Amino acid sequence: MMDIEGFRRAGYAAVDQICDYYASLQGNEHPVAAQVEPGFLSKLIPSEAPQHGEDWSVIEQDYQTKIMPGITHWQAPNFMAYYPCNATFEGGLADLHAAMISNPGFNWTCSPSVTELEIITLDWVAKVLGLSDDFLSTSPSGLGGGIILGSASEVCVTMAIGARERALRALAEEHPPPQTDSTNSAAAGPSNAAKAIAASATVLANSALSKWRGNLASRLVMYGTTQTHSIAAKAAIILGLDFRALEVTKEDGFALRGATLRAALLEDQSVGRVPFMLVASLGTTSSGAVDNLQEITEVAKDFPSLWVHVDAAYAGVALALPELREQCYSDALRHVDSFSTNLHKWGLVQFDCSPLFLRDRGVLSSALTVTPEYLRTRQGDAGSVLDMRNMQIPLGRRFRSLKIWFVLRSYGVQGFQEHIRRGIKCADVFAGLMGEDERFEMVAPPNFALRVFRLTSAGAAGGEDVDALNRRFWDMLQTRNSELLLTQTVLPDVGFCIRLVPGSTLCREEHMHAAWKVVKECADKTLGVQ
């Protein structure tokens, strides 16, 4: 068990080891993907915790020799799978400080700095990304602002709850609740009907009220596309609601168009269903596609029950580049209802950190505020502070804003922009090298730092289809995952293909040449080139 001086010594040693680790990443001294088999760790670690404390030097040694071999090195320059999960020294120091404070931050009074720094840094980020003033805590309406959640998945579920309750309140105006002991005057006026929705969301003991709410909720529909991240469908499953995946095409760059959305909304309305939320994508996982937000927001004007949320988990940080804002329909973003991005992907901030911005933060607080006596505070009762617990599912929360503050102060906006531009340039270098080899094709528009490719039918033997050829190619690439880690996907009108997305803070042009060398050698073997 450590005392202060023991922690001091261990901390100094840990920093030295981390520095050595990053130096070794630059030298490609580690396999990118962990080279272990499932169950490896159970053979190295006892099945029960020790009865007596062990010396820290033994624990630290076991971390290096037993845990690290099973780590996939997401910060390695040749990690080009999934999306980046950036780490910076500034973010690491912030997490260290925040971990040692260990503040749950549910109320302003828990530690005023935790809440107030979050509000300030959210505004910083919104301004860096060029978002409308409507999303700021200082918005002209007085309603804007946001919250930092853990992941895009958590954002989507949380926002779906808010959008659901908003839609149910509107439905309650048209379909008043049944008269019960708790709602005997609910039918007397719209405001009472809305109150019944709020009551039924937290107390469902009355079967009539519960049935009434369930009937209304059963009509709600959430929308996305076949390329929307699975978080949207999962949110609908969690909330017991319908999710409708709309088709997109290669011709449209795998993006949702307004006509497709309008047709689906009208079709559902015609049978009594209520469109309540659309999860639009700014940078899909498979191809980096950006849904046509200009068209979508025009359609949404005719459907007031529809909440438009933009999931920009990966690509949202690219809005920091003025030259890319038009590609991202930044003008249309001022008309969406909410927007989120993951700073812990391409944005230089350690996992987890997902800012969510709303034009009306009251949609969340009205859906999620529950205040028992033990959570009441003088400041909260006076309405002079924002208690963040009222905008999220859990009670407690991490001091995530500290790492945003550290990172943006250290890098500055220009340093942040330089990092994003470097990732895009690296992707362009790879695409340029591949463009000189006619055996390959890029199968999606080049979006941000993502490039999606596959082998063409040229060279396929014995009538083998292109999908089968590329699956063999993928298997070959997997044998080289100690040098280069990529991921696969399937795209409409295309089929099986391979994703490459640089974004590590250590990645430079020479790493793209090394990546191309691996890809080309695997293609040669797949095609039987001697």
Side-chain angles (χ1 to χ4, degrees), residues 61 104 112 144 254 356 382 384 413 445:
Q61 179 64 22
F254 310 107
L356 166 63
S384 60
V413 176

Side-chain angles (χ1 to χ4, degrees), residues 379-456:
Q379 296 86 355
D381 288 348
S384 60
V385 298
L386 180 62
D387 290 331
M388 290 293 193
R389 63 181 168 80
N390 294 328
M391 294 175 63
Q392 63 176 28
I393 297 170
L395 176 66
R397 54 202 327 279
R398 300 181 62 214
F399 192 6
R400 298 184 179 100
S401 61
L402 188 63
K403 50 194 171 187
I404 300 177
W405 194 53
F406 278 17
V407 167
L408 286 182
R409 289 189 66 186
S410 182
Y411 275 77
V413 176
Q414 290 184 351
F416 191 89
Q417 292 171 328
E418 181 183 343
H419 164 69
I420 302 298
R421 289 190 178 106
R422 184 188 305 120
I424 296 171
K425 184 176 181 181
C426 283
D428 287 340
V429 168
F430 179 86
L433 294 168
M434 180 167 282
E436 298 173 1
D437 192 325
E438 63 182 11
R439 299 175 301 173
F440 292 90
E441 62 175 338
M442 290 286 174
V443 296
N447 285 319
F448 313 107
L450 173 63
R451 301 295 178 265
V452 189
F453 63 93
R454 70 176 189 166
L455 288 170
T456 66

Side-chain angles (χ1 to χ4, degrees), residues 2-76:
M2 281 189 186
D3 57 16
I4 290 177
E5 290 307 315
F7 176 69
R8 191 190 307 276
R9 291 190 298 272
Y12 286 147
V15 169
D16 284 341
Q17 289 162 351
I18 291 169
C19 289
D20 291 343
Y21 169 67
Y22 269 81
S24 67
L25 287 179
Q26 290 177 315
N28 293 320
E29 296 176 22
H30 299 278
V32 183
Q35 305 294 296
V36 297
E37 296 296 327
F40 83 101
L41 204 53
S42 63
K43 301 172 184 177
L44 302 175
I45 293 180
S47 59
E48 295 180 1
Q51 291 297 313
H52 303 286
E54 298 176 314
D55 187 82
W56 178 253
S57 63
V58 176
I59 300 170
E60 173 58 33
Q61 179 64 22
D62 281 351
Y63 171 75
Q64 297 295 338
T65 60
K66 297 178 181 179
I67 303 301
M68 284 301 289
I71 295 297
T72 290
H73 301 284
W74 286 64
Q75 307 313 312

Side-chain angles (χ1 to χ4, degrees), residues 304-345:
S305 66
L306 187 70
W307 181 276
V308 179
H309 172 68
V310 174
D311 171 34
Y314 159 64
V317 296
L319 287 167
L321 305 183
E323 65 267 27
L324 287 186
R325 288 177 186 166
E326 184 176 347
Q327 175 184 337
C328 299
Y329 302 98
S330 60
D331 287 342
L333 280 173
R334 68 180 61 250
H335 301 298
V336 305
D337 297 295
S338 55
F339 172 92
S340 68
T341 189
N342 286 351
L343 291 182
H344 62 245
K345 281 193 170 73

Side-chain angles (χ1 to χ4, degrees), residues 36-277:
V36 297
E37 296 296 327
F40 83 101
L41 204 53
S42 63
K43 301 172 184 177
L44 302 175
I45 293 180
S47 59
E48 295 180 1
Q51 291 297 313
H52 303 286
E54 298 176 314
D55 187 82
W56 178 253
S57 63
V58 176
I59 300 170
E60 173 58 33
Q61 179 64 22
D62 281 351
Y63 171 75
Q64 297 295 338
T65 60
K66 297 178 181 179
I67 303 301
M68 284 301 289
I71 295 297
T72 290
H73 301 284
W74 286 64
Q75 307 313 312
N78 289 327
F79 181 97
M80 301 181 195
Y82 305 108
Y83 279 127
C85 192
N86 286 160
T88 53
F89 297 125
E90 295 87 347
L93 289 171
D95 265 348
L96 175 61
H97 284 295
M100 296 312 295
I101 295 170
S102 194
N103 190 295
F106 48 85
N107 278 348
W108 177 87
T109 54
C110 290
S111 275
S113 289
V114 174
T115 295
E116 296 198 10
L117 186 64
E118 182 156 344
I119 294 170
I120 291 168
T121 55
L122 279 166
D123 284 353
W124 278 20
V125 173
K127 291 173 183 178
V128 169
L129 302 184
L131 297 183
S132 163
D133 288 351
D134 291 339
F135 292 102
L136 301 178
S137 66
T138 56
S139 63
S141 68
L143 301 175
I147 186 170
I148 305 172
L149 299 178
S151 67
S153 300
E154 184 183 359
V155 165
C156 194
V157 174
T158 304
M159 200 63 261
I161 292 171
R164 178 192 65 185
E165 297 307 304
R166 170 179 174 266
L168 290 178
R169 284 193 296 273
L171 285 174
E173 309 292 339
E174 304 173 18
H175 306 279
Q179 293 194 20
T180 68
D181 291 341
S182 59
T183 64
N184 54 19
S185 63
S191 62
N192 285 327
K195 290 177 182 177
I197 279 291
S200 66
T202 55
V203 182
L204 295 176
N206 184 284
S207 60
L209 195 60
S210 176
K211 183 177 180 180
W212 166 76
R213 178 185 168 88
N215 286 338
L216 294 184
S218 68
R219 297 170 56 189
L220 301 180
V221 188
M222 181 190 293
Y223 301 83
T225 76
T226 56
Q227 296 301 293
T228 302
H229 194 280
S230 58
I231 59 173
K234 183 177 286 189
I237 291 171
I238 291 169
L239 300 180
L241 302 173
D242 284 340
F243 176 77
R244 183 170 178 180
L246 307 178
E247 296 292 335
V248 295
T249 65
K250 181 180 180 181
E251 181 182 4
D252 289 329
F254 310 107
L256 176 62
R257 300 296 302 271
T260 302
L261 176 62
R262 184 181 294 277
L265 299 179
L266 290 173
E267 179 183 7
D268 284 335
Q269 274 193 342
S270 70
V271 294
R273 307 179 87 195
V274 179
F276 87 100
M277 183 175 181

